[in-house]
Amino acid sequence: MMPLLGVLLACSTSPSSAPEAAPGEPAAAVGEDPHAHHGHAGHANHPDMPAGEVVPGQSLFQLESTWTDQKGETVSLEELGGTPVVLAMVYTHCEHACPRIVGDMRRIQADLGERAEETRFVLVSIDPARDTVERMAKFADETGIDEDGWRVLRGEEADVRELAAVLGVQYKRVSESDFAHSNLIHVLDRTGVIAHRQEGLGTAPTATVAALEGLLATPDR
């Protein structure tokens, strides 16, 4: 089987068409004009970005990266398996979109009712330079997600870019403190395959909850 990252590269536009990122900065999305401005709820300094394409049927658990959570514990993506996962990529210094993404995930959790206990909720930082373990722990406390079933993860820059590519999350730094990024919430099945993707902010989670309920009713997925 071709490695997951190899499949993604094979299905993407030629790397020469992507703008070159500055050293230490996340690469701009393939085909994305780095000077373009996208509306983001009226906040010009924090634009959104469209969702990228994903390779269907591929498991995130094939990625061999390791991550650190808000408690300082090391975790691999494969360790998230065994239950459905609701996952989003955010950064904790975000003042506009990311708190709304967390709120949307909390709404999904609430709508699942008791079955939420059978689901993992994961946030992955796109800003690991600033999102230290201490900062992530404070963020979890401030947002009320410092509870069982929730994890906030940070990783190496290269691993963040790789995961974002697999998920179709596009992001780039637009200032010293802000990122433009796709607003996406993913549902993964027990094997790490994307089963559903919720796009936008404040989206009614009906389809997302239905996808989770379907997975929870099917033990082998």
Side-chain angles (χ1 to χ4, degrees):
M1 177 182 296
M2 185 183 297
L4 179 55
L5 186 55
V7 173
L8 281 164
L9 293 176
C11 294
S12 68
T13 305
S14 168
S16 64
S17 66
E20 182 177 353
E25 295 294 328
V30 172
E32 183 75 13
D33 180 354
H35 303 294
H37 294 280
H38 305 270
H40 191 299
H43 298 287
N45 66 328
H46 189 180
D48 63 9
M49 298 183 73
E53 296 295 324
V54 297
V55 178
Q58 299 294 325
S59 172
L60 270 66
F61 300 162
Q62 294 182 40
L63 301 180
E64 297 180 353
S65 49
T66 57
W67 306 77
T68 305
D69 70 9
Q70 74 271 26
K71 297 180 181 179
E73 298 177 354
T74 301
V75 58
S76 67
L77 295 177
E78 190 173 11
E79 290 177 56
L80 301 176
T83 65
V85 177
V86 180
L87 183 149
M89 299 190 77
V90 299
Y91 64 106
T92 70
H93 290 82
C94 174
E95 297 180 354
H96 307 299
C98 300
R100 295 183 65 185
I101 290 174
V102 175
D104 288 345
M105 292 176 69
R106 291 300 298 267
R107 184 176 174 187
I108 293 167
Q109 182 184 33
D111 286 0
L112 278 174
E114 294 182 357
R115 304 224 68 175
E117 297 178 3
E118 304 170 52
T119 305
R120 301 181 196 273
F121 294 83
V122 179
L123 297 169
V124 181
S125 173
I126 61 174
D127 186 18
R130 291 189 297 168
D131 284 341
T132 62
V133 170
E134 293 76 16
R135 172 62 191 173
M136 293 190 307
K138 181 179 179 182
F139 176 80
D141 180 64
E142 290 174 345
T143 55
I145 61 171
D146 191 16
E147 58 188 63
D148 291 341
W150 283 82
R151 299 187 95 153
V152 187
L153 304 180
R154 69 177 305 278
E156 299 296 328
E157 289 277 7
D159 294 331
V160 173
R161 290 194 294 269
E162 182 181 48
L163 179 62
V166 175
L167 293 171
V169 174
Q170 302 195 79
Y171 71 99
K172 64 181 178 182
R173 188 182 295 278
V174 293
S175 72
E176 290 186 2
S177 59
D178 272 312
F179 287 81
H181 58 85
S182 308
N183 297 318
L184 297 170
I185 296 173
H186 295 82
V187 173
L188 310 180
D189 68 15
R190 291 176 175 83
T191 67
V193 173
I194 299 173
H196 179 75
R197 189 162 74 166
Q198 177 174 306
E199 186 170 357
L201 301 174
T203 302
T206 307
T208 303
V209 172
L212 284 162
E213 290 175 338
L215 293 175
L216 291 167
T218 312
D220 59 344
R221 289 188 60 201

